[in-house]
Amino acid sequence: MNTNRLLANLNPEQREAVTLPTGPALVLAGAGSGKTRVLVHRIAWRIETEDTPPQSVLAVTFTNKAAREMRARVLTLVGPRAQSMWLGTFHSMAYRILSRHAREAGLRPDFTILDEDDQRRLIRQLIRERQWDEREFPPALAQWYINQKKDAGMRASQVPDGVGREDRALRDLYQGYEMKLRSLGAADFAELLFCCHDLWQKQPALLESYQARFREILVDEFQDTNTLQYLWFRTLTGTSGNPFVVGDDDQAIYGWRGGRVEHVLRFPKDFEGTRVIRLEQNYRSSGAILSAANALIAHNPSRLGKTLWTASETGERPVYFTADDELEEADYIVTRIQQALSGGQPAGTIAILYRSNAQSRVIEESLVRHEIAYRIYGGVRFFERSEIKDTLAYLRLMTDPENDSAFERVFNVPTRGLGDRTFERVREHARQEGRSLAASALAIAQPKAVSADRSARALRGFLELLADMREAIRPLNLAGQVERVIALSRLAEFYQTDDPLRAETRIESLAELVNAAAGYEPDPEMESTPAEFSGLMAFLGQMALATEPESRPGKSDEIQLMSLHAAKGLEFHTVFITGLEEGLLPHSRATETAGGLEEERRLFYVGITRAERQLYLTRARRRRLHGHYIDTLPSRFLLEIPADQLESGEPRIVTRTARSRVQHRFPNTDPGLPVTIGQRVRHPRFGEGVVLSHEGSGDHCRIHVRFEGSGAKWLLWDQAHLETLES
Ligand code: ATP
Ligand code: MG
């Protein structure tokens, strides 16, 4: 392979970083200066020129999405043999290792990964067992406490003696939680790293074997690593590995979750002989956008300090627009987007960013009204949707019948006459006998004298259902198994009656899960025990760490919506940053401490530096909060960008005629809703159809209609010009 090709599109500093001899290296550089690009080329360089086998490379990024993109880029440079490198998030890398040594690490061979919900449920149970007052010890607070300690790399026994009663109680709860996890043989997210690290401590020979294997360890977004991640990374690297880390202290935005930018400073001390390389040329943004970013971040007192420059043309100044309220803000954005789209700009090059996920709703409504396709990243993530979790719980019970958390989740979902009382009975039995919920349920359901007992019968029905399912799916392939479990569980029918308005979307998610199973490719690096349902088992493990179903890659014809946090590392031609108001950005929670305020400024900086050519900054004079309008103040950060660097957006280009029309056209029991479900309607373009559901009320109402010719569509009531028909 022509190694010159590898270096051709790099500037001299980037080239220096890519071709550094072995030994620790730190690339400390600003946004858009090519850090990620350097990291990708470094991997390729080591493989191509130094004959480093790809399987000795381990590279870590922060999200699955970033990992996918990075892998694709390395493969383009090196070819398919790079497949065998390890590249993923900290969690997924630790999971791979643990899955090979689960038993030695004190986990079950097919251990469950508890997500945040499962974790909270477990913590609530511990609080109840102690008969503590949940108002005094809210499970969410205890969960935050435990995770914070874990992210700081502290076991309960290492937490220093607190002064207050509450401190001691929380520590005691943490200890109880640790014991509980151990007895279940399960792991929460932090535990993946922690357990792996403990295992290495216990078995130095094992650690040495991994150290010998992974000669090249690379980390992107290094400024956001928390203590536990750093510990894991440092231990694995040892004294003779080649750590190569890239980061930007100005983009540290995870302090609130334990991220420690100090690791950047500590790195050269922990790794003797570290070479530090700085990159100062920004290749992403136009001059005007970069100037605004530089002016803003200069207000942060504690910085390592670097100046970014660009050879790109100045371009258009960022546009600043003040709307009357959040509806007008959304309409302004959508109007601008329509202009861009009609000029031929691909939708996928446009991003709308916000500080808090709740801001997206109004923007979404405006996009829907104008029939503009969009995709949200974050929000309620696919695998956190309740219907997906219900299904995964059933699947989990197939591979692990004794899984308490899955058993509890679907105990009475769909409803089968198993109430809280029965559940408590089962739980009590389990506690006394020290057995799983499933085993206790079986004991209670035995047809003895109690066979007349309705709940015992229902319980038996449930257990039989699970057993039948297990039999039914045995011969099927993975997608078939998922599909059959969904069918036999009757979840779809349940959603239909439980919440008809949302049923359609939920059923679509289930179909999406079947697609994900069909497209699932087992991780070749995972140790696969030839156990029954081992394919399903591996799929479930992968699902626990995923954020997006793999079957749905980003489309280029959708506007991208996401929080500022989720936008890290990405780039877009056009970026809108919304809600530039005191209380939102900076967020009210963060303004109490100087450190918090600086982190918010960095977050805004991350947002600005995502933009390549066009940047819009918007705010609303008043915004509805908890149902009431409150007047807002412009974000202090706006005032930190010199006024002559911003362009004022045209005020009032938005018409609001559409809003005043229409109220009730059909007779309806709910005066807020203009349609009834099942109503037959005719649309001028799509023809005849039936109303499936609706959302919202009045002129903001959206209607879901299934048209005979063209399928189901969401329409905006006040623009759809629907005619009602006799049913
Ligand atoms: P961030 O801090 O936002 O993560 P980064 O430092 O990782 O940014 P990259 O994403 O690697 O920056 O690069 C930013 C953009 O600049 C990318 O589109 C990349 O392809 C381009 N780029 C980087 N270096 C060069 C170069 N030498 N020549 C041309 N384009 C470059
Ligand atoms: Mg990057």
Side-chain angles (χ1 to χ4, degrees), residues 354 356-367 376 561:
Y354 33 79
S356 107
N357 285 317
Q359 280 169 261
S360 73
R361 190 185 52 84
V362 174
I363 299 169
E364 285 183 70
E365 281 174 7
S366 192
L367 288 166
I376 293 206
L561 266 68

Side-chain angles (χ1 to χ4, degrees), residues 32 34-37 70 73 220-221 246 251 284 568-570 610:
K35 293 183 296 299
T36 303
R37 186 179 173 105
M70 202 181 267
R73 287 208 241 163
D220 197 2
E221 308 276 3
V246 308
Q251 296 187 72
R284 181 179 294 141
K568 186 162 88 152
L570 307 180
R610 297 311 96 200

Side-chain angles (χ1 to χ4, degrees), residues 680-683 686-690 705-709 725:
R680 289 192 63 75
V681 292
R682 182 184 292 126
H683 183 273
F686 303 128
E688 287 187 17
V690 176
V705 183
R706 182 180 301 287
F707 290 103
E708 276 150 21
L725 303 170

Side-chain angles (χ1 to χ4, degrees), residues 121-305:
R121 219 190 313 241
L122 204 60
I123 291 171
R124 173 172 295 122
Q125 188 191 329
L126 290 168
I127 291 177
R128 288 191 183 158
E129 275 171 20
R130 286 168 172 65
Q131 300 188 333
W132 291 355
D133 185 348
E134 277 187 47
R135 278 162 310 187
E136 202 183 335
F137 291 99
L141 174 84
Q143 183 178 27
W144 176 81
Y145 171 92
I146 290 172
N147 286 337
Q148 190 214 22
K149 293 294 180 242
K150 286 193 156 190
D151 285 341
M154 257 189 257
R155 290 289 184 199
S157 60
Q158 294 166 308
V159 177
D161 268 335
V163 270
R165 188 177 73 90
E166 192 179 320
D167 267 0
R168 279 197 299 275
L170 284 171
R171 190 180 61 172
D172 166 65
L173 190 72
Y174 179 16
Q175 202 135 36
Y177 174 77
E178 279 180 338
M179 280 159 53
K180 186 80 193 171
L181 272 195
R182 220 165 301 141
S183 73
L184 292 171
D188 58 32
F189 286 132
E191 199 59 39
L192 294 173
L193 290 161
F194 225 144
C195 240
C196 192
H197 185 260
D198 287 352
L199 177 66
W200 287 336
Q201 301 299 314
K202 269 191 308 208
Q203 301 194 12
L206 188 71
L207 172 60
E208 276 162 31
S209 73
Y210 279 105
Q211 287 175 334
R213 168 172 179 172
F214 295 117
R215 305 304 303 151
E216 310 282 336
I217 300 180
L218 307 94
V219 185
D220 197 2
E221 308 276 3
F222 186 68
Q223 75 280 355
D224 281 324
T225 48
N226 66 33
T227 306
L228 180 60
Q229 290 163 336
Y230 187 73
L231 199 64
W232 187 90
F233 155 80
R234 208 185 55 188
T235 306
L236 178 59
T237 309
T239 47
S240 58
N242 296 305
F244 188 98
V245 304
V246 308
D248 177 7
D249 59 303
D250 287 332
Q251 296 187 72
I253 53 174
Y254 279 98
W256 57 287
R257 259 212 219 152
R260 300 283 298 273
V261 64
E262 297 88 295
H263 292 149
V264 174
L265 297 175
R266 188 173 158 181
F267 183 87
K269 295 181 190 135
D270 282 352
F271 295 94
E272 215 182 307
T274 294
R275 304 279 293 265
V276 180
I277 292 201
R278 291 174 186 266
L279 310 173
E280 304 205 313
Q281 180 172 1
N282 172 298
Y283 287 89
R284 181 179 294 141
S285 307
S286 66
I289 291 169
L290 196 61
S291 302
N294 282 338
L296 172 81
I297 201 67
H299 285 79
N300 261 6
S302 40
R303 300 176 62 206
L304 299 179

